[in-house]
């Protein structure tokens, strides 16, 4: 027992030695101008002029600032890596992978059968004529065999990935007693929550790109549909929207994890919110719109139809689910030309055609801003809440 | 010089949650290298005090400093030299003991090359080398506490603060753990602040104690000094067992001057008085042919100190409440 004790004591001494050294250095830096003043009168003048011109920098303050930067960097780095490693080794990643794999395989299968049956129908003259431009995008947007398209599946199931990654971010650490150990380390407290968010966001990014590209690749392999540059760009933009969308749900579930005591509570709360936005929001919007602008009689329809539709979409757009779905449908379907209700009068003289990529983006960039804002607001609330919280043992 | 250096100092440190005052004008000074016991019942404000010392919660009033660094404004610096072993310390269950320590080392900015050596050394020191590669979810309470000590020592702190560290340890584990705490102070010269409500254990290792009730520090000093103080204030407790134990003896006790309270505990009488009664009682027993089975003057041990100060504090509290009520009723009028 005695030898390790001795070595710690020795180590302590040596550390104290280095501490002294650094403080000596600081003193030396501080002394430097004084010494030169004593030696050289000319230099003194120059120095004084330079001093007047340059804002004074306290070497000690600078060293402290540098140290703060160092602390911020290494603690955030350590936390980020640990969170990422945790996620990668966790069982929940297996759950996510199973969900995503099932979703991707099913949607590719559905899309291929859907495209095939539509083409067959068109060839035999029974169905509508089949449009073969932007075929590659149809891999993502076509449903078939009663399997929803990849796009709508992601819109519905994607939030679940964010929820799984974030619902117990803070409160489980609290109940495990690891959080109060963590906050007593010499780190900035925000590194904890920022590190967690960044690690989960990284995982989401990797996963979304991996599955999105895998779906395209599988579709290409089985159908031989070749993508062109614009279609690839559209898919990539769509995937970026998806990342932001899932990150919103991550931020949302982290928000619940900051403000609830039990992981089960925050999981249920975020699932409830997810179901509300995915299912009930559209019903609610319809009810409110019909209540405010009734369209039951013919007269009311004539007067209120447009207002009713506008209010309905407006309310729906509060929901990130709707916002994302709308944006995705515009990006992935160049034939879609408008997101709001369009009157017949407006359509008179319109030439049917596809929107260019830039024009499609013009329609949906507010959606991206909206989703980003929602993400930042929920993260900000949890950030502030977390910073102000008093963390004590359970 | 280093012996007398006050490393932890609080000045009128106060924390109120709404109208409830958790810590009330706490003035504490702890010298470098000593083990200070912060004693008090649950809910006395010990943990709140510790949180304020670490800058984890802001004081409502007053200030605290560790090694001249303000605990609220300069908490990063304070956390760098202060190790904290929280009540019910937890580790990441999916990670091994070593991995947990490595994570702490990285958070503290220990250079990557030195980490493994430090971990070996610390595990050896707390006697946990055998379990270093086990997942911490398999650890017992005692093992977790030991790993907690290693975790705290990772940053090589000058001050170590422990919140209820002996809670839930078995007697053998407790003894070894206290030994470990003692070593930290004696061999390494670190300052240790231990909060606890388990008096006997803490009594063995503390240089000084502070007794904390209802947010107020009602006494602080060396244990034997506190004991002497109680005795000099006229608190005597006599434990006595006689044969036969009859009413005549009880009646005699009632006639003695200065008896405040007599109670029976099993076959023994507990006599509280404001003076030493031993001489009178033994004389009476000798003359009247009683057999003395047990006689002990209590006092001076921490339990007694604790009890006496608690009673005082409770009385004051009661008076306070009463006067508060009167005050309130007067206001209404």
């Amino acid at each position: 027992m005695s030898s390790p004790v001795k070595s710690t004591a020795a180590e302590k001494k040596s550390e104290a030695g280095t501490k002294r050294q650094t403080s000596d250095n600081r003193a030396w830096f501080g002394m430097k101008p004084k010494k030169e003043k004593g030696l050289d009168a000319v230099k003194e003048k120059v120095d004084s002029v330079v001093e007047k011109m340059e804002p004074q920098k306290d070497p000690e303050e600078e060293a402290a600032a540098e140290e703060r930067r160092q602390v911020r960097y290494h603690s955030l780095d350590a936390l980020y890596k640990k969170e990422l490693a945790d996620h990668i080794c966790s069982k929940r990643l297996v759950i996510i992978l199973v969900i995503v794999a099932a979703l991707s395989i099913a949607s590719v299968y559905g899309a291929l059968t859907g495209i095939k049956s539509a083409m067959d129908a068109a060839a035999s003259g029974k169905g509508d004529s089949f449009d073969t431009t932007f075929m590659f995008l149809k891999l993502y947007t076509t449903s078939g065999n009663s399997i929803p398209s990849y796009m709508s599946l992601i819109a519905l199931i994607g939030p679940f990935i964010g929820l799984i990654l974030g619902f117990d971010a803070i409160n489980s650490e609290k109940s495990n007693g690891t959080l109060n150990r963590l906050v007593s380390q010499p780190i900035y407290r925000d590194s904890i929550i920022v590190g967690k968010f960044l690690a989960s966001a990284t995982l989401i990014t990797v996963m979304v790109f991996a599955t999105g590209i895998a779906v395209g690749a599988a579709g290409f392999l089985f159908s031989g549909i070749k993508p062109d540059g614009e279609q690839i760009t559209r898919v990539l933009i769509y995937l970026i929207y998806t990342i932001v969308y899932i990150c919103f749900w991550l931020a949302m579930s982290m928000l619940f994890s900051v403000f609830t005591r039990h992981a089960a509570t925050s999981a249920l709360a975020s699932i409830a919110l997810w179901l509300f936005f995915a299912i009930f929001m559209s019903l609610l919007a319809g009810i409110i719109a019909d209540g405010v602008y009734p369209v039951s009689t013919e007269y009311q329809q004539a007067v209120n139809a447009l207002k009713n539709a506008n209010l309905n979409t407006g309310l729906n757009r509060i929901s990130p689910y709707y916002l994302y779905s709308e944006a995705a449908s515009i990006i992935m379907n160049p034939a879609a030309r408008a997101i709001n209700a369009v009157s017949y009068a407006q359509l008179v003289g319109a030439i049917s055609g596809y929107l260019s990529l830039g024009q499609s983006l013009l329609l949906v960039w507010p959606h991206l801003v909206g989703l980003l804002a929602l993400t930042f607001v929920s993260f900000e609330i949890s950030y502030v809440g977390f910073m102000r919280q008093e963390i004590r043992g359970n | 010089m280093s012996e007398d250096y006050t490393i932890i100092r609080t000045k009128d440190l106060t924390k109120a949650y709404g109208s409830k005052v958790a810590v009330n004008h706490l003035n504490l000074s702890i010298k470098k290298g000593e083990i200070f016991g912060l004693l008090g019942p649950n809910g006395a404000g010990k943990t709140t005090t510790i949180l304020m010392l670490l800058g984890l919660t802001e004081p409502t009033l007053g200030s605290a400093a560790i090694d001249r660094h303000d605990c609220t404004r300069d908490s990063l610096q304070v956390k760098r030299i202060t190790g904290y072993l929280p009540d019910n310390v937890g580790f990441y269950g999916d990670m091994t003991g070593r991995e947990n320590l490595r994570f702490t080392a990285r958070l503290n900015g220990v250079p990557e090359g030195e980490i493994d050596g430090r971990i070996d050394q610390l595990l050896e020191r707390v006697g946990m080398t055998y379990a270093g590669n086990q997942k911490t979810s398999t650890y017992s309470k005692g093992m977790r506490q030991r790993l907690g000590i290693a975790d705290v020592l990772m940053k090589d702190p000058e001050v170590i603060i422990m919140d209820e560290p002996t809670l839930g340890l078995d007697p053998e584990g407790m003894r070894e753990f206290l030994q470990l705490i003692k070593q930290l102070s004696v061999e390494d010269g670190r300052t240790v602040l231990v909060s606890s409500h388990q008096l006997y254990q803490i009594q063995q290792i503390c240089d000084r104690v502070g007794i904390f009730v209802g947010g107020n520090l009602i006494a602080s000093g060396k244990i034997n000094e506190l004991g002497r103080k109680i005795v000099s204030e006229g608190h005597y407790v006599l434990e006595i067992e006689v044969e036969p134990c009859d009413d005549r003896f009880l009646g005699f006790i009632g006639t003695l001057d200065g008896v405040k309270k007599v109670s029976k505990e099993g076959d023994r009488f507990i006599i509280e008085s404001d003076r030493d009664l031993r001489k009178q009682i033994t004389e009476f027993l000798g003359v009247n042919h009683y057999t003395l089975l047990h006689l002990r003057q209590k006092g001076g041990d921490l339990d007694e100190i604790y009890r006496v100060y608690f009673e005082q504090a409770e009385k004051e509290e009661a008076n306070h409440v009463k006067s508060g009520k009167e005050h309130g009723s007067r206001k209404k009028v």
Side-chain angles (χ1 to χ4, degrees):
Chain A
M1 203 65 200
S2 72
S3 69
V5 171
K6 262 183 197 165
S7 55
T8 36
E11 197 180 64
K12 223 191 155 193
K13 239 182 238 171
S14 75
E15 263 185 32
T18 51
K19 267 180 206 166
R20 209 174 298 131
Q21 235 175 17
T22 48
S23 64
D24 281 352
N25 275 341
R26 280 181 198 166
W28 186 73
F29 280 125
M31 290 287 289
K32 203 174 166 185
K34 273 187 193 167
K35 271 183 191 169
E36 284 171 349
K37 269 179 199 171
L39 287 172
D40 197 337
V42 180
K43 207 159 188 191
E44 187 190 10
K45 271 184 192 166
V46 174
D47 270 352
S48 68
V49 171
V50 169
E51 255 172 47
K52 269 177 206 161
M53 283 164 63
E54 280 182 358
Q56 280 212 330
K57 283 179 188 168
D58 185 0
E60 218 166 286
E61 212 168 77
E62 258 177 75
E66 175 59 33
E67 211 174 298
R68 277 199 291 275
R69 269 195 295 279
Q70 280 290 322
V71 168
R72 194 170 276 285
Y73 171 73
H74 74 65
S75 60
L76 189 59
D77 182 56
L79 283 159
Y80 172 78
K81 280 181 183 155
K82 188 223 144 230
E83 285 301 323
L84 206 55
D86 265 10
H87 279 324
I88 289 169
C89 301
S90 67
K91 290 190 188 86
R92 65 182 74 184
L93 189 80
V94 178
I95 298 174
I96 293 175
L97 286 179
V98 168
I99 291 174
V100 168
L103 183 155
S104 307
I105 292 168
S107 63
V108 169
Y109 174 74
L112 288 177
T113 48
I115 291 170
K116 189 167 184 298
S117 61
M119 284 175 91
D120 286 348
S124 61
K126 281 175 198 159
D128 301 332
S129 62
F130 192 74
D131 182 8
T132 51
T133 33
F134 297 109
M135 274 290 276
F136 187 69
L137 295 181
K138 289 205 166 67
L139 287 171
Y140 294 87
T141 55
T142 313
S143 55
N145 253 0
S146 68
I147 301 169
S149 67
Y150 178 78
M151 211 172 72
S152 47
L153 272 177
I154 283 285
L156 192 65
I157 308 295
F160 195 58
I161 297 168
L163 298 189
I164 287 182
L165 289 174
F167 77 94
D168 64 345
I170 301 295
N171 51 14
S172 74
E173 290 231 18
K174 238 182 248 176
S175 55
N176 286 340
T178 46
L179 190 62
N180 48 4
R181 203 163 51 84
L182 210 54
V183 292
S184 68
Q185 303 299 340
I187 55 172
Y188 290 101
R189 193 190 276 197
D190 56 356
S191 329
I192 298 170
I193 193 164
V194 173
K196 276 177 185 293
F197 185 83
L198 286 182
S200 301
T202 308
L203 209 62
I204 289 171
T205 308
V206 171
M207 201 144 44
V208 165
F209 271 112
T211 57
I213 291 168
V215 164
F220 173 59
L221 212 63
F222 289 116
S223 67
I225 300 168
K226 240 182 359 187
D228 61 13
E230 186 184 335
Q231 291 184 68
I232 289 176
T233 320
R234 278 180 185 269
V235 169
L236 291 181
I237 291 169
Y238 161 69
L239 293 180
I240 290 169
Y241 269 73
T242 308
I243 291 165
V244 175
Y245 174 60
I246 297 178
C247 280
F248 161 75
W249 287 100
L250 171 68
M252 202 50 169
S253 59
M254 279 178 79
L255 175 73
F256 285 119
S257 86
V258 169
F259 291 103
T260 59
R261 186 183 287 267
H262 300 291
T265 319
S266 54
L268 284 176
S270 32
I271 287 174
L273 200 70
W274 166 40
L275 289 179
F276 173 77
F277 278 144
I279 297 170
F280 299 110
M281 188 69 189
S282 57
L283 302 178
L284 197 68
I287 292 167
I288 294 174
D290 285 346
V292 178
Y293 299 114
V295 284
S296 41
T297 64
E298 222 166 284
Y299 170 73
Q300 280 173 335
Q301 250 177 19
V303 178
N304 286 340
L306 185 62
K307 288 177 185 163
N308 181 300
N310 280 342
L311 183 63
N312 198 340
T313 15
L315 286 173
N316 263 319
R317 281 188 191 138
I318 295 171
S319 153
Y321 169 73
Y322 186 87
L323 217 53
Y324 167 74
S325 304
E326 199 176 55
S329 64
I330 295 288
I331 298 169
M332 297 301 271
N333 182 12
R337 297 163 58 94
I339 49 174
N340 291 323
V342 177
S343 67
Y344 285 115
Q346 282 170 303
L347 280 178
V348 170
I351 304 161
S352 89
Y354 297 110
L355 281 189
S356 69
L357 178 59
Q359 291 303 311
S360 286
L361 290 184
L362 204 60
L363 275 179
V364 295
W365 89 265
H367 295 66
L368 183 65
V369 175
L371 281 174
L372 277 174
L374 281 173
T375 310
F376 277 117
V377 165
S378 20
F379 183 69
E380 204 54 40
I381 295 172
S382 45
Y383 180 96
V384 172
F386 180 63
M387 294 300 279
R388 285 165 172 246
Q389 236 164 33
E390 183 178 280
I391 291 152
R392 47 168 76 220
N394 30 347
Chain B
M1 176 221 146
S2 67
E3 285 302 305
D4 285 339
Y5 174 55
T6 301
I7 193 157
I8 302 177
R9 188 190 289 280
T10 71
K11 206 172 156 238
D12 290 331
L13 197 64
T14 304
K15 176 79 186 179
Y17 295 101
S19 62
K20 189 188 173 294
V21 179
V23 178
N24 188 11
H25 291 276
L26 176 68
N27 288 298
L28 202 64
S29 53
I30 298 172
K31 294 193 176 66
K32 196 175 166 68
E34 76 175 344
I35 302 182
F36 189 90
L38 198 58
L39 303 177
N42 293 328
K46 291 170 293 176
T47 303
T48 309
T49 307
I50 289 173
L51 291 185
M52 285 192 282
L53 283 176
L54 286 160
L56 296 181
T57 185
E58 276 183 37
T60 316
L61 224 124
S63 65
I66 295 183
D67 200 20
R68 298 207 184 89
H69 300 292
D70 187 281
C71 293
T72 312
R73 272 174 296 151
D74 204 2
S75 67
L76 202 65
Q77 195 59 36
V78 167
K79 285 178 197 162
R80 202 167 288 162
I81 57 166
T82 309
Y84 172 47
L85 183 65
D87 167 23
N88 224 335
V89 61
F91 291 95
Y92 296 106
D94 290 343
M95 288 156 67
T96 66
R98 278 175 175 281
E99 283 165 351
N100 269 292
L101 289 181
R102 186 168 296 127
F103 178 51
T104 307
R106 289 200 178 122
L107 288 180
N108 279 285
V110 177
E112 209 64 25
E114 293 172 21
I115 291 178
D116 279 308
R118 283 288 286 277
I119 292 174
D120 288 337
Q121 204 181 12
L122 290 172
L123 284 176
E124 175 76 41
R125 174 142 197 206
V126 297
M128 286 282 292
T129 310
Y130 70 98
N133 289 323
Q134 283 175 26
K135 290 199 167 170
T136 50
S137 53
T138 66
Y139 281 19
S140 68
K141 171 86 187 171
M143 288 160 85
R144 257 185 299 162
Q145 288 291 358
R146 282 162 174 277
L147 190 66
I149 294 268
D151 184 69
V152 162
L153 289 177
M154 182 53 84
K155 65 171 90 160
D156 192 17
E158 284 175 47
V159 179
I160 298 174
I161 297 177
M162 301 185 195
D163 198 358
E164 300 281 6
T166 55
L167 211 62
L169 294 184
D170 56 56
E172 177 63 13
M174 174 101 72
R175 203 182 54 74
E176 288 174 10
F177 191 75
L178 290 174
Q179 214 51 46
L180 199 59
I181 298 177
K182 189 89 189 162
Q183 274 180 15
L184 295 177
S185 160
V186 175
E187 292 176 17
D188 302 1
R190 301 180 212 269
T191 314
V192 183
L193 173 65
V194 191
S195 99
S196 182
H197 66 261
Q198 293 176 310
L199 317 168
Y200 283 113
Q201 288 80 29
I202 298 306
Q203 188 174 7
Q204 299 163 21
I205 55 163
C206 284
D207 296 317
R208 285 197 308 139
V209 295
I211 297 178
F212 213 52
V213 182
N216 295 295
L217 186 72
I218 51 176
S220 87
K222 290 194 171 128
I223 289 164
N224 48 13
E225 280 173 9
L226 288 182
R228 248 179 272 140
K229 208 169 141 201
I230 292 180
V231 172
S232 69
E233 279 173 3
H235 288 282
Y236 289 87
V237 177
L238 196 64
E239 216 178 64
I240 190 165
E241 188 180 350
V242 295
E243 171 76 39
C245 177
D246 55 14
D247 287 344
R248 199 165 75 132
F249 174 65
L250 210 58
F252 164 71
I253 294 172
T255 63
L256 291 172
D257 283 342
V259 174
K260 290 197 289 194
K261 193 178 159 196
V262 181
S263 55
K264 202 167 180 212
E265 223 174 67
D267 289 335
R268 292 176 182 175
F269 289 106
I270 313 286
I271 305 165
E272 289 176 39
S273 60
D274 56 11
R275 66 193 67 172
D276 196 349
L277 300 172
R278 277 178 293 187
K279 190 159 175 289
Q280 283 167 285
I281 290 179
T282 44
E283 272 173 7
F284 171 82
L285 292 177
V287 170
N288 294 290
H289 306 289
Y290 280 91
T291 316
L292 180 62
L293 298 177
H294 175 89
L295 176 76
R296 192 167 81 94
Q297 182 90 41
K298 290 214 294 190
D301 62 347
L302 205 51
D303 208 19
E304 194 54 29
I305 297 171
Y306 209 44
R307 196 183 59 75
V308 169
Y309 281 116
F310 270 22
E311 277 176 7
Q312 278 179 6
E314 270 168 23
K315 263 183 221 157
E316 275 167 29
E317 186 92 334
N319 287 340
H320 194 71
V321 170
K322 220 192 267 172
S323 66
K325 269 182 190 164
E326 279 166 16
H327 193 70
S329 59
R330 219 173 289 145
K331 249 186 191 171
K332 270 179 197 166
V333 172

